[in-house]
Amino acid sequence: MLVTIAGVDLPKEDAVNALQLLEFSATFGKVLDVKKGQAEAVLRDLINGRSTRSGKFTSVVQFHIQLLSVIQSESGSPTSDMTHDNDSWFKALKSCISKSKLKHMDFIDVTDGGYANLDSSMKLRLLVFLCDEILGTE
């Protein structure tokens, strides 16, 4: 069964996570420099399975990087330019998961090939996880 949220048809089991992502973006968008409509575009690309083009990151990966950058800067970790290559943002994501008190994400293969094989539901859960981690920062 599908539900429509922000003009995107997604599986019913993803509705809560989609709403949480949109609410987080609406509430903290100014502080985190989330552009108007960016979260909806991310959700649309996530569900439609949009892949990278010409070595550029998708809006989904760009949003991961944006959230990870906030977490790195707030945690006092050395910040890196995660847009340089795939490996650097994967390392930052893996580090964030391993440092988290929420160990339910430890099983995810956050390597380039592993991430590419994740379904849209898991990628959405990862985005919501990062949003939750940001809530724990100042």
Side-chain angles (χ1 to χ4, degrees):
M1 173 166 204
L2 296 177
V3 294
T4 303
I5 297 176
V8 180
D9 292 332
L10 57 141
K12 182 179 165 185
E13 58 272 10
D14 289 341
V16 171
N17 285 329
L19 289 171
Q20 187 173 344
L21 178 68
L22 294 173
E23 182 64 25
F24 175 86
S25 297
T27 303
F28 299 103
K30 270 190 178 175
V31 175
L32 301 173
D33 197 28
V34 176
K35 294 170 182 54
K36 183 178 173 126
Q38 183 179 358
E40 292 84 354
V42 166
L43 189 59
R44 204 171 24 260
D45 287 349
L46 185 66
I47 298 304
N48 293 332
R50 187 169 167 208
S51 60
T52 57
R53 328 179 299 273
S54 309
K56 292 188 177 192
F57 292 123
T58 64
S59 65
V60 177
V61 172
Q62 289 172 357
F63 203 62
H64 276 295
I65 292 170
Q66 190 173 353
L67 296 174
L68 285 163
S69 295
V70 171
I71 292 168
Q72 277 188 340
S73 67
E74 289 294 318
S75 70
S77 300
T79 55
S80 61
D81 180 10
M82 290 179 271
T83 60
H84 180 52
D85 61 31
N86 273 349
D87 196 40
S88 56
W89 85 267
F90 288 123
K91 285 179 183 173
L93 180 58
K94 184 152 187 83
S95 174
C96 184
I97 290 170
S98 67
K99 289 177 184 175
S100 172
K101 294 176 182 144
L102 305 172
K103 297 298 179 188
H104 67 281
M105 293 290 195
D106 275 350
F107 69 94
I108 299 170
D109 179 9
V110 285
T111 60
D112 188 9
Y115 182 84
N117 291 326
L118 295 176
D119 64 19
S120 61
S121 294
M122 184 54 70
K123 289 177 182 177
L124 179 58
R125 285 178 50 202
L126 277 171
L127 284 170
V128 170
F129 163 76
L130 292 175
C131 292
D132 288 345
E133 288 297 300
I134 287 175
L135 292 176
T137 66
E138 292 182 29

